[in-house]
Amino acid sequence: MIRPRAKAAGLLSLGVAAVALFSGCDLNENADTDKGRDLFIAKCGECHYLSEAGTTGNLGPDLDAAFAASRNAGMDQDTIEGVVTDQISHPRQTDPADPSYMPPDLVTGQDADDVAAYVASVAGVPGIEPPTVPGGPGGQVFASNGCGSCHTLAIAGSAGAVGPNLDEELPGQSKAEIEESIVDPNKVIVQGFQPNVMPSNYSTTIDQQEIKDLVDFLYENSGKTPKQ
Ligand code: HEC
Ligand code: HEC
């Protein structure tokens, strides 16, 4: 494995490793950071705080804090990208029985490049904030947990089609029914869909107040055209 530190090596030692490293950088310049952001929210956000993504997981380190320190120490964006890529394929060893264990290869190939490029472009950048989303706090919870990657909801601007269209299905449901679908998705399976597709651990990864904000947001906004 090429350690990012290799970059700091003197000119004379530029060899095959360095060439591989530079071509890696070229590849990553084509990375799609929007896609990387969506993947980060879906695969990494439950464990990591990252302000631009709006994610608040705390099983793993706060990535803004981690990389603010690196930036202060003079680490550049390409190097941070390398550190993230390395951590994705070879996470620092923790015990698989530990609930915070980071599994290797949560994303691979181009997806891993996209995630690494996205994280490197935002983590620890002073003053960075998530783009404002419509719908107040509950709208932010919807955006930060990747619900839109599977569900269509006009106010959130999402067009996911893995799960039911929430604009069509939620009007007429009570808040209790909506909440149950979120915290216990396998209890009642919506007709035409499969069980075990929607993550079933939101009651542990999203705190109670945020679940309440999310339910209020869906109850009030599903089936309505967003107001400008
Ligand atoms: C199940 C929880 C979990 C998930 C999911 C997870 N991580 Fe981690 N991550 C951790 C933990 C725990 C550590 C700290 C490991 C250690 O250093 O002992 C960590 C460390 C890191 C670090 C190093 C931070 C530092 O302080 O240097 C980076 C970068 C990182 N993760 C990125 C990611 C990315 C990108 C994803 C998604 C592809 C991801 N993580 C998914 C738990 C997770
Ligand atoms: C990986 C895809 C996926 C993600 C991510 C996901 N869902 Fe789902 N969701 C589904 C599927 C599939 C169903 C239908 C099967 C079922 O009932 O469990 C569903 C069902 C639902 C329902 C019931 C809809 C109805 O017709 O009554 C609600 C409400 C819902 N999801 C909200 C959410 C919210 C809020 C989030 C984010 C916190 C979320 N989902 C994240 C796939 C997903």
Side-chain angles (χ1 to χ4, degrees), residues 210-221:
E210 288 184 329
I211 296 269
K212 185 179 177 302
D213 292 340
L214 177 61
V215 170
D216 289 348
F217 163 76
L218 291 171
Y219 182 79
E220 281 154 24
N221 294 293

Side-chain angles (χ1 to χ4, degrees), residues 143-178:
S144 302
N145 288 283
C147 312
S149 64
C150 290
H151 291 289
T152 293
L153 184 68
I155 187 175
S158 74
V162 175
N165 179 323
L166 299 182
D167 286 316
E168 288 170 4
E169 300 300 331
L170 298 192
Q173 292 194 24
S174 68
K175 287 188 186 181
E177 287 169 317
I178 296 174

Side-chain angles (χ1 to χ4, degrees), residues 5 12 19 29 42 60 65 100 124-125 127 145-146 180-181 195 219 227:
R5 212 165 281 128
L12 285 177
V19 172
E29 266 155 32
S100 73
V125 172
N145 288 283
E180 184 184 271
S181 297
Y219 182 79
K227 296 184 197 81

